[in-house]
């Protein structure tokens, strides 16, 4: 099946621990994106990548890091520097050049 | 930066009613998408509509880029239409999301 997968669906971590969220796509899309959604709010862009081995900060990149070593994969690390990491994290992909985006099912991160 | 405003913020309808959701944006954009977020959080693509009008079943959308707004029409609403509707506008490779319209359709 073609699509975007995110794992895990739910993630619990203790405060002060780094955690990595997985995002994989088999749509042959060049561009990938990470968004954060807080309860009752819209989506805010964390990082995006238009091509392998290149990525740019979005609007709320502090406390997060990414890598783009493969076209299919764009993992997001939530570091201990992120002040309020509990949120719903959504990954998206699309063709390069700012075309239509498609979203994965999301990961709900809770930091205890 | 560009501002994206959606109205109304909340909407309650009786099943079978029609509705219009609005998305205003403060500057020119390259593209615009409408999404439906279901109760499980999944974002479902409704329309990719930088300009003009598109229809898909009971849903249709119109974007007037020169006047910086887009409209989403839902006709004969069903309970499964409940959820949050987002518009997102594209500026230099980045999509900026509005705050959404929360729709509840009552049986």
């Amino acid at each position: 099946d073609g699509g975007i997968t995110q794992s895990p669906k739910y993630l619990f971590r203790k405060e002060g621990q780094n955690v990595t969220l997985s995002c994989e796509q088999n749509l042959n899309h060049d561009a990938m994106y990470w968004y954060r959604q807080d309860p009752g709010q819209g989506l805010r862009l964390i990082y995006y990548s238009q091509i392998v081995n290149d990525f740019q900060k979005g609007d709320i990149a502090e406390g997060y890091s990414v890598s783009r070593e493969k076209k299919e994969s764009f993992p997001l690390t939530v570091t201990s520097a992120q002040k309020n990491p509990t949120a719903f994290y959504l990954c998206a992909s699309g063709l390069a050049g700012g075309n239509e985006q498609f979203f994965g099912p999301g990961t709900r991160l809770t930091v205890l | 930066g560009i501002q994206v405003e959606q109205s109304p913020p909340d909407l309650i309808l009786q099943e079978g009613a029609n509705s219009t959701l609005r998305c205003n944006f403060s500057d020119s954009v390259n593209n615009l998408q409408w999404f439906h977020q279901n109760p499980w959080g999944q974002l479902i693509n409704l329309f990719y509509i930088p300009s003009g009008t598109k229809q898909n079943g009971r849903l249709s959308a119109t974007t007037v880029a020169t006047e910086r707004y887009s409209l989403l029409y839902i006709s004969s609403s069903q309970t499964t239409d409940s959820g949050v509707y987002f518009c997102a506008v594209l500026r230099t490779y980045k999509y900026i999301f509005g705050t959404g319209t929360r729709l509840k359709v009552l049986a």
Side-chain angles (χ1 to χ4, degrees), chain A residues 8 11 19-20 24 28 30 35 45 51-52 54 88 92 98 105:
Chain A
L11 188 55
V19 60
T20 297
E24 304 275 335
N28 201 32
D30 291 301
Y35 294 88
L45 183 64
I51 196 169
V52 174
D54 188 43
F88 186 45

Side-chain angles (χ1 to χ4, degrees), chain A residues 37-111:
Chain A
Q37 186 178 31
D38 293 291
Q41 304 295 313
L43 280 69
R44 293 183 291 167
L45 183 64
I46 305 172
Y47 269 98
Y48 63 106
S49 168
Q50 292 290 308
I51 196 169
V52 174
N53 292 323
D54 188 43
F55 49 83
Q56 285 78 39
K57 293 182 180 180
D59 300 317
I60 56 165
E62 186 175 350
Y64 300 97
S65 66
V66 294
S67 63
R68 186 85 189 277
E69 297 176 2
K70 296 188 300 181
K71 187 176 185 177
E72 301 79 18
S73 178
F74 192 39
L76 174 74
T77 297
V78 184
T79 75
S80 57
Q82 169 50 233
K83 300 297 182 201
N84 186 18
T86 294
F88 186 45
Y89 291 88
L90 287 150
C91 176
S93 72
L95 296 173
N99 283 284
E100 188 174 7
Q101 288 191 10
F102 298 87
F103 281 82
T107 292
R108 294 191 185 276
L109 172 65
T110 301
V111 175

Side-chain angles (χ1 to χ4, degrees), chain B residues 2 8 12 14 21 23 40-42 46 65 70 75 89 99 101 107:
Chain B
I2 189 171
I12 300 175
Q14 205 65 40
L21 283 57
C23 173
W40 298 271
Q42 176 76 54
L46 297 178
S70 183
S75 65
V89 300
T99 51
T101 292

Side-chain angles (χ1 to χ4, degrees), chain B residues 9 24 26 30 44-45 48 56 98:
Chain B
N24 290 335
S26 60
N30 304 110
I44 299 161
N45 290 37
Y48 172 67
N56 184 5

Side-chain angles (χ1 to χ4, degrees), chain B residues 22-89:
Chain B
R22 187 175 182 102
C23 173
N24 290 335
F25 40 97
S26 60
D27 205 344
S28 61
V29 299
N30 304 110
N31 274 317
L32 187 144
Q33 284 189 251
W34 281 98
F35 298 92
H36 174 215
Q37 187 168 38
N38 66 22
W40 298 271
Q42 176 76 54
L43 276 162
I44 299 161
N45 290 37
L46 297 178
F47 294 101
Y48 172 67
I49 184 166
S51 63
T53 297
K54 290 186 177 180
Q55 180 151 7
N56 184 5
R58 296 182 296 104
L59 274 59
S60 64
T62 295
T63 297
V64 184
T66 53
E67 297 186 23
R68 299 178 186 169
Y69 73 89
S70 183
L71 302 173
L72 177 68
Y73 305 96
I74 304 174
S75 65
S76 304
S77 58
Q78 301 175 357
T79 57
T80 52
D81 294 331
S82 296
V84 184
Y85 290 80
F86 289 104
C87 69
V89 300

